[in-house]
Amino acid sequence: MTEDREWPGEWLRGVLPQAVLRVLDDGPTYGYALAARLAEAGIGDIKGGTLYPLLGRLEAAGHLTVEWRAGDGGPGRKYYEITPEGRRHLHDLVERWRRFAAVVDTHLTGPPPGREDTRG
């Protein structure tokens, strides 16, 4: 892990779909703005080579829709919007994440399974 990346890539791959859907739950946006929101949230700088294929997978799964919008004097942009199915999927992922995070936290910070806590 390099010093400019706080989170290991494996962690980001595991949480990025729900993080993207969470941003889109606030309203439609385009890829660059979505990446900026993720960075502002502390998730990190997500490159286009990671973000856009994920957006394509989320669209194929029915979790978001895509609409081209004309730019103001510049090129058009693809805007992404969460679908009702995507919103249900997001809420399910969030609940499952909470349970998973609690299990992992207990495992990592508690005594080893089958042993008493001897840390005093």
Side-chain angles (χ1 to χ4, degrees), residues 8-94:
E10 297 83 18
W11 295 4
L12 290 173
R13 281 188 291 282
V15 75
L16 200 54
Q18 49 269 45
V20 165
L21 289 172
R22 173 57 191 92
V23 169
L24 294 173
D25 198 32
D26 288 341
T29 193
Y30 55 96
Y32 182 82
L34 203 157
R37 288 272 312 276
L38 293 170
E40 289 170 10
I43 292 172
D45 294 323
I46 308 302
K47 305 295 182 210
T50 299
L51 180 60
Y52 291 104
L54 171 60
L55 290 168
R57 290 190 301 274
L58 290 170
E59 179 187 16
H63 299 309
L64 58 87
T65 58
V66 179
E67 174 188 5
W68 276 98
R69 295 186 187 175
D72 295 329
R77 292 183 170 144
K78 272 187 176 182
Y79 274 74
Y80 301 89
E81 183 172 5
I82 194 169
T83 63
E85 173 60 29
R87 194 164 278 113
R88 284 188 293 275
H89 184 64
L90 169 62
H91 293 295
D92 178 58
L93 288 173
V94 168

